[in-house]
């Protein structure tokens, strides 16, 4: 067997494997048949999936990305404007040919080349949203009304339309934002290379950070990512900690109100460097959080000579973890609400010589003195006995029951 034929056979096997994988992800029988017909038509009209095109340079990851793009296009088949059988492929590389297919199927007007990458996004909400941007612009909609997570100025929209085709849309959006604000290409690339091209939230805060970078003369682009990571960690990243014996919960970031007002890049970089040096293992650490007793009183009422009904306030995270484990619900996640005095948690039970038997967990809003929820084991509704005791306690303490 000649070397060229061997290469073609190898390429064909890789292409067949990528198609089989895509078929397994396509869904039901109808979807798999539709994909097979779609692929067959594309192979007959272009070199996108022909072995000769890949011989000697098969990239399994690139093939999977291409098949992911074809699957995404097929997912929009009810919106196709023209039959795939009428497609006349554009000459050029894989991206150009694929872009011409996407335009043929879903666009009446030219779409910026960077949005072709939307079809290669991983399946999910973010990828689906990017693909709708393509369709919006392809039907004549403006980039500024496409529903981007960043509000684009005219200049930003222009920069986005000129972004290199190989960029991912999220990267291109952040890149265009910085360019539209007057930043250099190097600065735009530096900022877009951080998590800010993958996460779009708290845009007012991050815009202030971008302005700080823009206004710093002689900025070392290498300092951008450490500062962004530091700010994100302190202001937005929740921590996982262990309370009780082994209950994991998430707690708020250490500095959710962090502001960069009065800061310089130098001061932030210094903080970021110190923060990085203090980083330890990501393994959750054990913590105990405690809070003061509320103004609401506890409760005790004899049931018989041996037992008494009690309602006890839980005053630390270990108590919450033990309650949650015993009652098989998520009351441990209320730790921060209790620390912040936004909530109080109470355990209703029967106490006797053999100990205390937990029967229900109660949440009271201390600001309104309202019982907002109560549940037994596995979040079951309280039985009549527990409801009666809870109402008696609420009446005695001036609480409103709203659950």
């Amino acid at each position: 067997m000649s070397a060229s034929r061997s290469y073609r056979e190898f390429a064909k096997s890789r292409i067949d494997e990528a198609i089989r994988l895509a078929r397994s992800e396509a869904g039901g029988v109808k979807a798999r048949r539709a994909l097979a017909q779609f692929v067959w038509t594309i192979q007959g009209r272009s070199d996108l999936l022909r072995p000769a095109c890949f011989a000697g340079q098969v990239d399994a990851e690139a093939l999977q990305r291409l098949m992911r793009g074809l699957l995404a296009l097929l997912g929009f088949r009810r919106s196709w404007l023209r039959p795939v059988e009428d497609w006349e492929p554009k000459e050029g590389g894989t991206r150009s040919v694929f872009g011409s297919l996407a335009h043929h199927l879903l666009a009446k007007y030219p779409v910026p080349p960077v949005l072709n990458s939307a079809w290669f996004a991983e399946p999910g909400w973010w990828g689906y949203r990017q693909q709708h941007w393509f369709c919006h612009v392809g039907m004549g909609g403006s980039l500024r009304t496409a529903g981007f997570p960043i509000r684009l100025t005219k200049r930003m929209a222009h920069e986005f339309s000129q972004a290199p085709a190989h960029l991912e849309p999220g990267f291109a959006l952040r890149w265009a934002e910085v360019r539209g604000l007057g930043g250099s290409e190097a600065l735009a690339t530096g900022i877009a290379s951080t998590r800010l091209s993958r996460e779009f939230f708290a845009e007012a805060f991050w815009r202030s950070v971008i302005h700080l970078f823009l206004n710093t003369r002689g900025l070392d682009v290498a300092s951008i990512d450490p500062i962004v990571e530091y700010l994100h960690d302190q202001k937005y990243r929740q921590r996982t900690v262990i309370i009780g014996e082994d209950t994991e919960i998430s707690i708020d970031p250490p500095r959710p109100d962090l502001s960069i007002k009065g800061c310089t890049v130098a001061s932030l970089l210094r903080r970021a460097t110190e923060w990085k040096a203090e980083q330890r293992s990501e393994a959750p650490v054990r913590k105990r959080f405690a809070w003061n007793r509320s103004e609401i009183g506890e409760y005790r009422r004899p049931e018989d000579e041996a037992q008494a009904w009690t309602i006890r306030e839980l005053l630390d995270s270990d108590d919450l973890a033990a309650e949650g484990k015993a009652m098989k619900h998520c009351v441990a996640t209320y730790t921060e609400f209790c620390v912040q005095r936004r909530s109080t948690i109470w355990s209703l039970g029967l106490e006797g010589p053999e100990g205390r038997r937990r029967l229900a967990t109660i949440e009271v809003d201390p600001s309104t003195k309202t019982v907002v929820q109560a549940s037994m084991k596995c979040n079951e509704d309280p039985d009549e006995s527990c409801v009666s005791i809870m109402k008696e306690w609420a009446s005695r303490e001036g609480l409103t029951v709203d659950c």
Side-chain angles (χ1 to χ4, degrees):
M1 182 183 294
S2 67
S4 60
R5 182 178 177 184
S6 176
Y7 281 136
R8 283 196 299 272
E9 289 295 326
F10 178 69
K12 182 178 184 302
S13 68
R14 285 298 182 91
I15 292 170
D16 290 345
E17 177 61 29
I19 293 173
R20 278 195 295 271
L21 181 61
R23 287 192 59 173
S24 69
E25 298 173 355
V29 174
K30 288 185 178 179
R32 291 197 294 272
R33 287 175 179 170
L35 177 63
Q37 180 64 34
F38 189 38
V39 168
W40 183 83
T41 304
I42 289 167
Q43 287 179 316
R45 303 190 68 81
S46 74
D47 291 333
L48 270 184
L49 290 170
R50 287 180 182 170
C53 185
F54 290 91
Q57 50 181 353
V58 180
D59 182 341
E61 187 175 331
L63 268 173
Q64 290 176 10
R65 186 168 58 248
L66 176 58
M67 289 307 304
R68 188 162 63 238
L70 294 177
L71 264 177
L73 286 176
L74 189 65
F76 277 73
R77 60 187 176 276
R78 291 186 179 180
S79 300
W80 285 359
L81 303 173
R82 309 171 188 92
V84 65
E85 291 79 8
D86 294 343
W87 172 47
E88 295 294 336
K90 178 181 178 180
E91 293 185 0
T94 300
R95 286 184 178 273
S96 295
V97 177
F98 182 92
S100 75
L101 174 62
H103 276 74
H104 173 81
L105 296 175
L106 292 163
K108 290 182 177 180
Y109 300 91
V111 178
V114 71
L115 279 178
N116 290 335
S117 298
W119 300 104
F120 304 129
E122 292 288 343
W125 173 84
W126 179 236
Y128 194 65
R129 187 176 179 187
Q130 294 177 54
Q131 290 150 16
H132 271 282
W133 299 341
F134 180 100
C135 296
H136 172 83
V137 177
M139 293 302 290
S142 166
L143 285 171
R144 298 180 67 194
T145 60
F148 293 140
I150 296 174
R151 188 173 180 179
L152 300 182
T153 64
K154 288 183 178 180
R155 183 176 176 184
M156 291 174 190
H158 172 74
E159 294 290 347
F160 182 82
S161 70
Q162 302 301 310
H166 68 277
L167 299 181
E168 293 183 355
F171 189 104
L173 272 176
R174 196 63 80 180
W175 182 89
E177 177 188 24
V178 179
R179 293 288 286 155
L181 290 171
S184 66
E185 188 162 340
L187 179 61
T189 300
I191 292 174
S193 297
T194 70
R195 67 170 55 247
L196 298 186
S197 68
R198 304 184 298 276
E199 299 173 356
F200 295 89
F201 65 94
E203 286 303 310
F205 173 76
W206 291 117
R207 179 66 65 87
S208 71
V209 175
I210 291 172
H211 276 297
L212 178 62
F213 291 142
L214 284 166
N215 295 329
T216 301
R217 290 187 177 182
L219 175 70
D220 181 359
V221 175
S223 66
I224 294 174
D225 189 63
I227 290 174
V228 168
E229 287 300 307
Y230 163 72
L231 293 173
H232 174 268
D233 178 87
Q234 296 294 294
K235 192 173 176 68
Y236 299 113
R237 189 176 74 83
Q238 291 190 320
R239 268 65 171 163
T240 298
V241 298
I242 296 174
I243 61 174
E245 294 181 1
D246 55 6
T247 300
E248 291 191 3
I249 64 168
S250 294
I251 61 173
D252 283 346
R255 301 180 64 189
D257 298 324
L258 176 65
S259 168
I260 64 165
K261 186 175 182 180
C263 296
T264 65
V265 166
S267 66
L268 288 175
L269 183 59
R270 188 162 51 250
R271 290 187 208 172
T273 302
E274 293 170 355
W275 161 76
K276 187 69 175 177
E278 295 171 357
Q279 293 302 291
R280 298 186 181 90
S281 168
E282 286 295 313
V285 296
R286 190 184 186 285
K287 284 185 176 286
R288 176 180 174 275
F289 302 89
W291 45 91
N292 294 328
R293 188 177 298 278
S294 70
E295 297 178 355
I296 303 168
E298 296 190 332
Y299 174 89
R300 181 181 180 86
R301 195 196 80 180
E303 171 68 4
D304 52 39
E305 292 183 359
Q307 298 186 102
W309 290 96
T310 61
I311 298 179
R312 306 293 190 195
E313 184 173 7
L314 305 183
L315 297 173
D316 64 41
S317 54
D318 287 354
D319 285 346
L320 287 185
E323 181 82 0
K325 179 171 285 190
M327 301 295 286
K328 301 185 183 302
H329 55 44
C330 63
V331 73
T333 62
Y334 285 68
T335 295
E336 281 201 294
F337 294 145
C338 292
V339 171
Q340 298 163 2
R341 309 314 290 146
R342 293 162 56 191
S343 178
T344 60
I345 302 296
W346 305 75
S347 177
L348 185 157
L350 267 174
E351 294 185 17
E354 297 181 358
R356 186 171 191 274
R357 182 160 59 97
R358 304 172 196 263
L359 295 175
T361 308
I362 303 168
E363 181 191 4
V364 178
D365 183 337
S367 63
T368 61
K369 299 192 73 173
T370 302
V371 177
V372 294
Q373 62 174 321
S375 60
M376 299 184 73
K377 186 174 286 188
C378 300
N379 286 317
E380 290 289 331
D381 291 337
D383 58 24
E384 291 184 7
S385 297
C386 289
V387 170
S388 176
I389 294 297
M390 181 177 69
K391 288 184 175 180
E392 185 176 319
W393 167 64
S395 177
R396 182 182 300 180
E397 296 299 322
L399 306 178
T400 301
V401 178
D402 187 19
C403 64

